[in-house]
Amino acid sequence: MICRRLILMLIAVASLFACKGRGDAPALPVVDTVADTVVILPRTSVTFIMGRDLSAYNPYYSLANQYYRLNPDDRTEVVVDSLTSLSQVFGWLSDNPSPDGRPYGIVNIVSHGNEFVDLQMTVTPGGPRTSVQSLRQALADSLLSPPDCHVVDHFTRIYLHGCAVGQNQPLLDLLAEAFGGRAVVQASKLFEYYAYLSLNRNPQSIRHYFARTWYAFYHPDSSYNETALVRQLRNRYPSDTIHWREGLRRRLQDNPSQLYHYSFTVPCLWDEVFTSLAQFPAVNSLQQRRRWVADNAAFRALLDQTHIPLPYFQIKFYRQTLILDNDSLAYGLRVRARAGVICLIQPLTAPDSIGSPFAPFRPSFTDTAFFAFSRPRYLPLPPSLRTLKGLPGSPVPPFL
């Protein structure tokens, strides 16, 4: 027991030296050690709703907003729905420390996203969407100021609510780094959405669902053909016996158990800058633009990250004239690529104890079959001290 107390004392001292900055900072969370168990006092939780719904067919943000305000199990003390960028989230957390003087317990970030490339949430206001590339560049340019350890620490759980964003491990790792490298970022490997459990659309009946998904692609310049999509889905998923046409014809559910679809575009952006017009590539004709794509392996590698075949992309070229800091001119080539995606969604349901046939299936938050976690950059506690008790009803990831 003396050894174990010594270990905890060393960890506490190391935490104090690792978190410098404010002389009047609040004390670190009270940690008690009884029978090899670490106990964290209850903490404040906050949810960030990072967008507005563009279509009544997909009220993702509005339902999530009500869910985290009203649901008895997952509601948070604070819900912020006025931000759109990661840098604004950092600023809000730094400017609004938890009223209990302890770091935040749960930080929910709700943003449309996809497992292919990025999140709808931008890195900075008016800046690029949050992707591995844009985050890496923002970190290199010191554009982000993460909250310090009095706001977000090793026991904070950052839960990213997007659509299968947990499939993008590099993005989770970079987001954890952007938050200061202390907290772990968690995201679902499955599609996430919110729906009414009751037919009368009572806001208190909104539930959080996980779902299986299947993808088909189309060129955004043309309307998609149902027969062609069914053929594509059968070829992509030959072992799945799904009523493809039923899902393609249903945009809104009558109840949360039904197969339905959601359509969106996956964007990719490429920029190059040249110091003279003589260096600028010839991309005036269709043939020249096709040759540029064929010769640019790095651009094709960017599209390959989406796992969407090249013929489904609409690719447009733009020339820009730039004024540099020294008042000299430069010439930019911007290439925008977009692909259309049809996502078929089958919710996972589990009838509850009162007989509701549409209750959502709730996996354990530690289940790595359903969730991905950013890889920790700090040394874990010794095995005998890894049991954590704290946030009621919120299981803790197993790496603590």
Side-chain angles (χ1 to χ4, degrees):
M1 180 61 72
I2 293 177
C3 290
R4 289 169 180 156
R5 291 185 181 276
L6 179 59
I7 289 171
L8 283 174
M9 289 175 64
L10 290 173
I11 291 172
V13 172
S15 299
L16 287 172
F17 281 101
C19 182
K20 299 178 181 179
R22 298 188 315 206
D24 59 345
L28 293 176
V30 176
V31 179
D32 188 17
T33 56
V34 179
D36 299 339
T37 299
V38 179
V39 180
I40 303 298
L41 293 178
R43 299 180 174 198
T44 301
S45 55
V46 57
T47 296
F48 295 96
I49 307 294
M50 303 301 295
R52 294 286 184 273
D53 297 321
L54 300 179
S55 169
Y57 289 108
N58 186 26
Y60 181 71
Y61 289 122
S62 59
L63 292 182
N65 198 329
Q66 295 181 77
Y67 177 79
Y68 290 107
R69 293 179 188 273
L70 300 175
N71 185 269
D73 297 322
D74 289 338
R75 66 186 175 192
T76 58
E77 287 85 352
V78 183
V79 176
V80 181
D81 58 9
S82 58
L83 310 180
T84 58
S85 71
L86 183 62
S87 64
Q88 290 174 317
V89 170
F90 289 171
W92 191 97
L93 289 170
S94 298
D95 294 340
N96 297 272
S98 173
D100 57 25
R102 292 183 286 274
Y104 282 96
I106 295 176
V107 177
N108 289 317
I109 299 178
V110 180
S111 173
H112 272 311
N114 58 75
E115 62 187 273
F116 307 106
V117 179
D118 58 15
L119 301 171
Q120 185 182 63
M121 172 181 68
T122 61
V123 179
T124 56
R129 290 164 59 110
T130 301
S131 66
V132 170
Q133 289 77 14
S134 63
L135 256 184
R136 186 175 290 131
Q137 188 63 51
L139 291 172
D141 295 340
S142 301
L143 297 180
L144 297 172
S145 299
D148 65 28
C149 65
H150 303 293
V151 178
V152 172
D153 70 356
H154 292 163
F155 295 110
T156 302
R157 178 161 62 88
I158 299 169
Y159 194 160
L160 179 61
H161 297 274
C163 297
V165 179
Q167 301 287 356
N168 193 336
Q169 185 68 50
L171 181 59
L172 299 188
D173 293 340
L174 268 180
L175 279 169
E177 181 180 342
F179 265 93
R182 293 178 298 274
V184 173
V185 177
Q186 175 179 355
S188 170
K189 296 179 181 180
L190 299 180
F191 195 91
E192 290 188 50
Y193 76 102
Y194 304 85
Y196 293 101
L197 187 61
S198 66
L199 296 179
N200 64 359
R201 296 181 178 269
N202 181 349
Q204 293 188 332
S205 75
I206 297 172
R207 295 294 182 268
H208 180 203
Y209 285 86
F210 297 91
R212 292 186 64 198
T213 54
W214 300 265
Y215 297 100
F217 312 115
Y218 64 95
H219 196 284
D221 274 345
S222 60
S223 58
Y224 51 81
N225 178 276
E226 181 182 287
T227 300
L229 289 177
V230 169
R231 186 183 307 113
Q232 185 184 156
L233 287 162
R234 286 173 178 168
N235 290 336
R236 285 175 57 82
Y237 308 101
S239 61
D240 289 339
T241 55
I242 305 298
H243 297 292
W244 303 119
R245 290 187 187 275
E246 175 186 333
L248 290 172
R249 292 174 180 177
R250 181 182 291 119
R251 296 184 66 182
L252 288 174
Q253 300 167 293
D254 295 322
N255 66 69
S257 69
Q258 291 178 324
L259 177 72
Y260 73 108
H261 81 270
Y262 166 54
S263 59
F264 59 95
T265 59
V266 171
C268 293
L269 184 64
W270 178 272
D271 284 309
E272 291 184 1
V273 178
F274 306 91
T275 56
S276 70
L277 281 175
Q279 298 173 322
F280 200 87
V283 290
N284 294 322
S285 68
L286 179 60
Q287 183 178 3
Q288 289 172 332
R289 292 192 288 270
R290 286 177 175 172
R291 185 181 302 117
W292 183 93
V293 173
D295 293 341
N296 196 319
F299 175 74
R300 295 198 314 277
L302 174 64
L303 301 188
D304 287 345
Q305 293 178 22
T306 68
H307 304 291
I308 301 174
L310 182 61
Y312 293 111
F313 279 96
Q314 170 206 72
I315 304 176
K316 292 187 175 182
F317 292 73
Y318 303 86
R319 181 188 300 185
Q320 301 173 317
T321 301
L322 310 172
I323 301 177
L324 304 182
D325 292 338
N326 60 1
D327 291 333
S328 62
L329 295 180
Y331 305 93
L333 172 65
R334 169 160 288 191
V335 184
R336 292 181 182 273
R338 296 190 314 129
V341 179
I342 295 287
C343 178
L344 268 72
I345 304 165
Q346 178 61 67
L348 301 180
T349 59
D352 61 19
S353 58
I354 60 174
S356 172
F358 309 134
F361 171 73
R362 298 297 298 268
S364 167
F365 282 118
T366 63
D367 192 337
T368 55
F370 291 91
F371 297 100
F373 307 92
S374 61
R375 288 164 289 202
R377 292 178 175 268
Y378 58 89
L379 292 176
L381 295 175
S384 62
L385 299 175
R386 288 184 186 173
T387 303
L388 179 69
K389 292 182 180 179
L391 306 165
S394 301
V396 177
F399 38 70
L400 290 173

